[in-house]
Amino acid sequence: MAFDYKKEYREFYLPKRKPEIITVPPMNFLAVRGKGDPNEEGGAYKQSIGLLYGIAFTIKMSKLTDHRMEGYFDFVVPPLEGLWWQRGVKGVDYSRKEDFEWISMIRLPEFVTEEEFSWAKEEAAAKKKTDFSEVKFFPYDEGLCVQCMHVGAYDDEPKTISCMDAFAAESGFVADMSDRCDKPGMEGRRFHHEIYLSDVRRCRPENLKTVIRHPVRRA
């Protein structure tokens, strides 16, 4: 049976609908960085999703090729995730979607090294005749966070975030978002984080399930 990260690590992918404090360990991701309204048809964000899944499924189906990845195990491709920010804004302003900057990403299994990622990128490009150069190998150490399951439309997330902020304050924590996003590199940056558990094409907005995660530190 294929390894399913959502089921095996429920604390990270299936939290309750009330806020909690967690420590997220370092993980490696496939990632595409961009900017602009995620709802734009044919826009950069929607294109990034196709690129990520192209590489993710190339890695998953490598078992059918002559290429053998050391430590390979069959797995369910993890859910799409996103880091979001806007310059000059602490948190997220949902009325200014055109100002979004984002990193769209999918978690990598532990056996995928940078070398194996490079192989998958070249393999996908050759088979799909597509430019995958925007996809990067992205290590991310998120650390201490407050998180909650949000059920509903994305534009309704501020209600859930308010509950998260209140819970964090009551628990002795404060938000620890990065306030500078214009420097080179992403090391040490901490952002508004979403994990998408529903297919927006097949799910009514009021039923969408999204994990929302915000970095915090002790007050």
Side-chain angles (χ1 to χ4, degrees), residues 3 5 9 26-28 70-71 73 107-113:
F3 187 90
Y5 282 88
Y9 295 102
M27 302 177 189
N28 294 327
E70 184 177 353
F73 55 83
R107 181 177 181 173
L108 284 169
E110 290 75 8
F111 62 80
V112 181
T113 62

Side-chain angles (χ1 to χ4, degrees), residues 1-9 13 28-30 48-63 72-81 105-112 128 195-198:
M1 184 177 293
F3 187 90
D4 190 335
Y5 282 88
K6 295 193 303 296
K7 293 180 180 179
E8 299 296 331
Y9 295 102
Y13 298 101
N28 294 327
F29 293 87
L30 299 169
S48 76
I49 296 173
L51 295 175
L52 292 175
Y53 278 107
I55 301 292
F57 277 100
T58 297
I59 293 169
K60 175 178 171 63
M61 303 311 295
S62 66
K63 62 184 178 181
Y72 176 92
F73 55 83
D74 194 15
F75 63 98
V76 176
V77 173
L80 180 70
E81 307 186 31
M105 55 194 198
I106 293 176
R107 181 177 181 173
L108 284 169
E110 290 75 8
F111 62 80
V112 181
K128 301 178 183 296
I195 303 174
Y196 307 105
L197 303 180
S198 304

